Amino acid sequence: MPTKLIATINSTGRQTASFIRVASAVGWHVRAQVRANEGIVAEELASLPNVELIEGDLTGPGLKPLLSRLFAGARIAFINTTHWGDEVAIGKACADAAKKAGVAHYVYSSMPDHSVFGQDWRALPLWSSKFAIENYVRQLGIPATFIYTGIYNNNFTSLPYPLFQMELQHDGSFVWQAPFHPNDPLPWLDAEHDVGPALLQIFKMGPSHWKGQRVTMAFERLTPLQACARFSRGVGRPVRYVHGEIDIKVSLPSGYREQLAILQETLGDKRAPYFGPELEYPREARGIWEGYRGLEEYAREIFPDEEYANGLRWMEDGRNGFEGGDADGDGVESVGMASVPGSRPITPGGISQANGLQITSAYTPKSHPEGMGSDFFVGSV
């Protein structure tokens, strides 16, 4: 396989870090922009072979020189913009720099604008910014592909984040409350595990195959009831879905609060499809990458470790594992839980109570490098 030079931005995010790990493993050279060289993800990426970190902010007067350096000599690029700064301006500047540098295949992580479908649906603001950037990239005429990511499995946490809190109950079970209709299918993705391998295949097939296409990066199609059933079997505890309004228990930046309010209306009340009515899944993503990690596997193998890293210790209560459940995946049957000894040592110290959950005084989830910053939000929604 020939050596390739790849440019990425926001490289500590789940999507981009997943791709960098895979690209490094196959011997491709990655030039990766990060906001800071500090943090567990940045340090991990810096330790990988063939990876060069470029530290710099994507806002302010230094943007163009930074992008010029980032894209110089790059043949391919994976660009996932975020809400920090003027996202549309940053996205346009990245596309301009890529065109100037002669990038041969430009993959942009986009999302839909529901207002364009003529169904009286409002646009989710953090998604419509990405759609505007996608349209600009198309106008430039560079060889580009656009991935649309589903809901991250990793969004689930028992910490009091809105929308994807898997709230721990006194009996050891979990409750997920969200505005999605219980029977409406949703797209699911393990971003850390699967974005990288899928992108590698897209880049290997090249722009002649993927130019101009939208690719749904979602490997499972599950209703909320089915998702809870899968999660329940994986984590070994009953999981109940509650169809209700988004419960906001922590302070949020105004932009994300608006995003959640419109999501509740558009995807919840009006039951608009997650990707809109035009994109199908998961057959396309599975055709690109067959080794995906499903929600049940995530709940069994990864969720307890991420919770533990975040200072939570519910997995130590001896109530992991239960018999029963719904074999068809259409609901969850709550039954008694068997006593299964915990497998990890309890690490005492720095424990406080918040919303009925035991969390460390540091509070910041180590699995999310952005943590609980003033402008933090979880995952693709």
Side-chain angles (χ1 to χ4, degrees), residues 77-137:
F78 173 58
I79 302 300
N80 183 19
T81 55
T82 70
H83 59 296
W84 282 299
D86 186 337
E87 182 171 1
V88 174
I90 293 169
K92 289 181 176 180
C94 288
D96 289 339
K99 182 174 182 178
K100 184 177 180 180
V103 168
H105 195 182
Y106 190 89
V107 175
Y108 178 67
S109 183
S110 188
M111 287 301 282
D113 179 342
H114 281 79
S115 68
V116 305
F117 296 114
Q119 299 286 338
D120 192 30
W121 297 332
R122 295 173 67 192
L124 280 66
L126 298 181
W127 292 7
S128 60
S129 295
K130 294 181 177 293
F131 189 76
I133 295 168
E134 174 186 334
N135 286 335
Y136 183 78
V137 172

Side-chain angles (χ1 to χ4, degrees), residues 7-273:
T8 65
I9 67 168
N10 297 317
S11 302
T12 58
R14 290 195 188 273
Q15 291 185 41
T16 309
S18 175
F19 174 58
I20 292 173
R21 294 180 187 110
V22 174
S24 169
V26 299
W28 292 3
H29 292 272
V30 183
R31 193 180 291 142
Q33 177 269 337
V34 294
R35 298 174 74 198
N37 287 326
E38 301 175 349
I40 57 174
V41 179
E43 292 170 1
E44 176 209 348
L45 297 179
S47 71
L48 297 177
N50 312 311
V51 175
E52 172 194 0
L53 296 189
I54 295 182
E55 185 178 24
D57 202 326
L58 294 175
T59 61
L63 174 59
K64 287 187 177 180
L66 185 150
L67 293 179
S68 178
R69 177 186 173 193
L70 182 72
F71 284 101
R75 297 297 298 154
I76 60 179
F78 173 58
I79 302 300
N80 183 19
T81 55
T82 70
H83 59 296
W84 282 299
D86 186 337
E87 182 171 1
V88 174
I90 293 169
K92 289 181 176 180
C94 288
D96 289 339
K99 182 174 182 178
K100 184 177 180 180
V103 168
H105 195 182
Y106 190 89
V107 175
Y108 178 67
S109 183
S110 188
M111 287 301 282
D113 179 342
H114 281 79
S115 68
V116 305
F117 296 114
Q119 299 286 338
D120 192 30
W121 297 332
R122 295 173 67 192
L124 280 66
L126 298 181
W127 292 7
S128 60
S129 295
K130 294 181 177 293
F131 189 76
I133 295 168
E134 174 186 334
N135 286 335
Y136 183 78
V137 172
R138 290 182 182 278
Q139 292 168 12
L140 284 183
I142 58 178
T145 306
F146 307 93
I147 66 167
Y148 280 51
T149 57
I151 299 170
Y152 296 179
N153 297 344
N154 319 76
N155 281 356
F156 283 120
T157 174
S158 62
L159 292 171
Y161 291 141
L163 189 56
F164 290 106
Q165 183 184 9
M166 190 62 73
E167 187 172 6
L168 184 65
Q169 305 299 297
H170 292 298
D171 63 359
S173 65
F174 290 100
V175 169
W176 176 34
Q177 177 171 318
F180 309 114
H181 189 278
N183 297 319
D184 285 351
L186 297 168
W188 297 90
L189 165 71
D190 195 299
E192 289 191 350
H193 187 271
D194 299 318
V195 167
L199 280 175
L200 182 70
Q201 296 305 314
I202 289 173
F203 279 122
K204 286 172 65 178
M205 295 176 74
S208 61
H209 185 89
W210 295 107
K211 183 178 179 181
Q213 292 197 40
R214 294 179 175 131
V215 181
T216 50
M217 200 66 66
F219 293 87
E220 290 186 300
R221 180 183 177 93
L222 303 171
T223 69
L225 293 178
Q226 291 171 330
C228 285
R230 299 284 180 91
F231 205 96
S232 175
R233 291 198 296 266
V235 81
R237 293 164 180 246
V239 177
R240 182 168 60 92
Y241 181 67
V242 174
H243 182 206
E245 294 185 354
I246 298 173
D247 191 8
I248 298 177
K249 301 175 182 177
V250 296
S251 61
L252 298 174
S254 59
Y256 188 42
R257 185 177 289 272
E258 181 186 11
Q259 171 85 355
L260 292 178
I262 298 177
L263 182 149
Q264 181 161 295
E265 174 191 322
T266 300
L267 303 187
D269 299 341
K270 296 186 176 180
R271 301 178 67 176

